[in-house]
Amino acid sequence: MNQQHDDDEGAGRPTTLRITVARSGGVGGMRPSWSVTASEEPEVDSWLALVESCPWPNHDGSVGPGEADRFVYTIRVVIDPEQHPVEERDATVPEGSLAGPWAELVDRVKDASPRRPR
């Protein structure tokens, strides 16, 4: 009986969450990227809470004066729930605006991303 209740609570929750962060700009013009995929419930919930804390609709991605040669981060989140359409979120965040939840999200994705050989 409890199993049915647990299943009902999870209806519509994401089964897979993919986050990609790409950095562009700077002097070298390199464009490294990092990505992470979560598919286990506690991990998905943790990532989703961080994603939800970011100010998605209020961020215009504009670069302020003196930031032309600084890094710009492109953040893409794909939330793939089992019974609903896929939700995608994109943001472009200049380095000067990378604070609070944006900085935490970028740092956490970088830390969790598998290391690539150089």
Side-chain angles (χ1 to χ4, degrees), residues 19-79:
I19 306 170
T20 303
V21 174
R23 185 182 72 199
S24 62
V27 178
M30 295 175 54
R31 188 171 169 87
S33 65
W34 304 268
S35 63
V36 65
T37 300
S39 58
E40 298 295 323
E41 188 172 316
E43 187 180 26
V44 170
D45 291 345
S46 175
W47 281 108
L48 191 57
L50 182 54
V51 166
E52 293 292 336
S53 72
C54 293
W56 292 92
N58 299 327
H59 202 290
D60 66 2
S62 60
V63 177
E67 292 190 81
D69 290 333
R70 298 186 72 183
F71 295 124
V72 175
Y73 291 85
T74 302
I75 302 164
R76 180 172 182 79
V77 176
V78 178
I79 302 169

